[in-house]
Amino acid sequence: MKAVYSRKTGDSSHIIVGEFPIPEISENKVLIKVQAVPVNYVDTYIQSGAYQTELPTPFILGRDAVGQVVKVGRSVDSFSVGDLVWTNSMGYDGRQGVMSEFALIPQERLYHVPDNVNPLQLVAAVHSAATASIVLTDIIRIKQGETILIEGAGGHVGSKLTALASAMGARVLTTSQEKDFKTLTDLGSCWTLDYRSQYKSQILEQYPEGIQYIIDTSGKVSLQDNSDLLAFQGTIVLITSPKDKVAHFDSKHFYMNCQQIKGFVISRCRLEQLNKAAMTINSYFAEGKLLEDDIRIMTFDAAASAYQLLKEGAERKKLVLIP
């Protein structure tokens, strides 16, 4: 089978597109014929070696995939040949990746594609949608009526956070480029702010007691600025590194106000968190929500170029690779 793989981590020159053995079925696993694999930032970190994890040698790239079941193991009872399915937690912690014509997936990491849902739009959305779901429901457990600021809301994760937080009854504030304001308003943002503006003073004027939750998906804001915006017992969630890589901020203000900083990486989530998120986002997908509309389709042969585009930030569209 054709596969996109590497024998060692490093730059895009280490990416190989070539023949790889079709994996053999085992008792609790499902063999799928892969239709599409998106490229996520976390994939570039793993491929480059910036994000350390156990990998097979050689290792196939790719975390998420959508495809059709072609074989099932003897103990598999939730899937049948012909089912359209997706996965979003491969290529990490010793698990082989999925950027190949066929992929072997543990039953417990596989989910059905809802009826009448475009599989490419779904697989392009699962990483960001699952991230948003887990952060909101498990990491901060946001409640109806609470206020949340989402920084970098025009991106893939930020837009999913906006939509889900609004659907959960939160009061959502967002920062983004001005061209994203209408989209974010349609998703539920009640106040859209230009990320380049001095929005801290604007927010504190409107919310002098501060904001209960801040999620930074942008990496463009200092910890001190976000701490200044936090309410008593407020929480900052970092989905990327903040602007100040080595943080210097008012620790006395921080601890006196019982504030928290939580980092989040979806690859470190427990299986039960991923399964819970899959149920949640599948229900939205079935209603035509949270799906990714802005997709650029490339082939496996262009994998090295796709990874390079993502590393350089040269493509806003979601990159999806097909065999």
Side-chain angles (χ1 to χ4, degrees):
M1 67 175 181
K2 178 186 282 189
V4 181
Y5 65 95
S6 184
R7 299 189 186 280
K8 62 179 180 178
T9 57
D11 61 31
S12 300
S13 67
H14 294 295
I15 295 175
I16 300 167
V17 182
E19 287 300 309
F20 209 90
I22 296 176
E24 295 185 6
I25 198 71
S26 56
E27 188 170 353
N28 193 42
K29 293 187 179 180
V30 178
L31 185 68
I32 68 169
K33 183 173 176 57
V34 173
Q35 293 184 359
V37 180
V39 182
N40 303 309
Y41 278 105
V42 67
D43 298 328
T44 68
Y45 301 151
I46 291 170
Q47 183 268 324
S48 68
Y51 196 65
Q52 295 293 310
T53 184
E54 181 185 348
L55 294 169
T57 304
F59 65 95
I60 296 174
L61 280 59
R63 170 191 175 86
D64 311 339
V66 66
Q68 193 165 36
V69 175
V70 292
K71 283 185 182 179
V72 297
R74 289 180 302 172
S75 299
V76 172
D77 54 12
S78 299
F79 301 95
S80 302
V81 172
D83 287 350
L84 193 59
V85 293
W86 62 270
T87 185
N88 77 324
S89 59
M90 301 299 291
Y92 181 82
D93 198 23
R95 296 185 293 277
Q96 188 62 279
V98 290
M99 200 172 287
S100 51
E101 289 185 281
F102 296 90
L104 193 62
I105 315 295
Q107 176 179 221
E108 65 272 15
R109 294 181 181 273
L110 202 61
Y111 315 102
H112 291 278
V113 173
D115 292 340
N116 303 314
V117 172
N118 183 308
L120 294 186
Q121 289 183 296
L122 181 148
V123 79
V126 294
H127 181 75
S128 52
T131 295
S133 178
I134 295 168
V135 167
L136 292 171
T137 60
D138 282 7
I139 306 305
I140 63 175
R141 299 182 183 180
I142 197 165
K143 298 180 179 63
Q144 185 171 355
E146 292 183 320
T147 303
I148 184 169
L149 170 64
I150 300 167
E151 294 169 330
H156 298 293
V157 176
S159 61
K160 305 298 188 297
L161 283 163
T162 302
L164 283 174
S166 176
M168 295 167 69
R171 185 185 301 107
V172 183
L173 285 56
T174 55
T175 71
S176 67
Q177 298 182 46
E178 191 173 349
K179 66 183 182 64
D180 295 318
F181 283 5
K182 184 182 184 305
T183 298
L184 292 170
T185 299
D186 291 344
L187 291 175
S189 175
C190 65
W191 192 6
T192 52
L193 297 137
D194 191 325
Y195 79 96
R196 295 163 297 189
S197 68
Q198 299 298 315
Y199 62 82
K200 185 170 82 169
S201 58
Q202 295 175 262
I203 291 175
L204 289 175
E205 185 176 344
Q206 188 73 24
Y207 296 90
E209 298 301 316
I211 304 295
Q212 290 154 311
Y213 301 106
I214 299 173
I215 302 178
D216 184 6
T217 77
S218 71
K220 298 181 183 299
V221 188
S222 71
L223 277 175
Q224 184 61 62
D225 282 343
N226 275 338
S227 177
D228 291 342
L229 284 171
L230 272 189
F232 175 71
Q233 293 185 332
T235 301
I236 300 168
V237 179
L238 301 177
I239 298 181
T240 187
S241 299
K243 180 179 179 181
D244 39 3
K245 305 301 181 187
V246 179
H248 300 282
F249 67 106
D250 187 347
S251 56
K252 181 178 180 181
H253 169 85
F254 188 81
Y255 87 81
M256 290 288 286
N257 284 281
C258 303
Q259 296 172 346
Q260 296 184 72
I261 300 173
K262 295 185 177 184
F264 179 79
V265 178
I266 193 171
S267 294
R268 293 188 179 275
C269 285
R270 302 185 307 276
L271 182 58
E272 55 265 34
Q273 289 177 302
L274 293 168
N275 288 339
K276 178 183 173 184
M279 290 179 62
T280 298
I281 64 177
N282 248 0
S283 67
Y284 281 93
F285 291 156
E287 296 175 2
K289 300 175 181 177
L290 299 183
L291 298 168
E292 197 66 58
D293 296 320
D294 205 11
I295 300 172
R296 178 178 174 183
I297 298 174
M298 303 173 74
T299 65
F300 282 4
D301 290 330
S305 298
Y307 273 71
Q308 197 60 36
L309 283 171
L310 205 59
K311 288 177 184 177
E312 295 171 354
E315 181 59 78
R316 268 182 69 93
K317 291 183 178 182
K318 188 68 178 182
L319 296 173
V320 176
L321 307 190
I322 60 175

